[in-house]
Amino acid sequence: MFKKIKKLFIKETFPCIVWNGKIMRYLDLTQKQIDRMNKEGLSVTKKEEC
């Protein structure tokens, strides 16, 4: 039961490659952060998708 409660507070992150046209960064991002960066016009790819 403790593990189920603990899961509520841990945000799932994904290893990602973020590309702005000039600089490539490797970050661990939550899905919410990925969505926000995509709206800003940045290219975000999850490493699993590469």
Side-chain angles (χ1 to χ4, degrees):
M1 183 169 165
F2 180 71
K3 288 183 181 181
K4 288 182 182 180
I5 295 171
K6 190 176 175 183
K7 275 187 173 181
L8 294 173
F9 296 101
I10 296 175
K11 293 182 180 179
E12 184 178 11
T13 59
F14 306 96
C16 299
I17 300 169
V18 180
W19 174 254
N20 70 358
K22 298 177 186 174
I23 299 170
M24 189 178 292
R25 294 189 179 107
Y26 299 89
L27 306 169
D28 287 329
L29 302 171
T30 63
Q31 187 61 50
K32 192 174 188 177
Q33 291 171 316
I34 292 169
D35 294 340
R36 188 172 355 119
M37 288 185 165
N38 281 329
K39 285 182 184 176
E40 292 175 6
L42 298 172
S43 174
V44 179
T45 305
K46 293 180 186 176
K47 283 192 176 178
E48 305 137 8
E49 298 171 358
C50 293

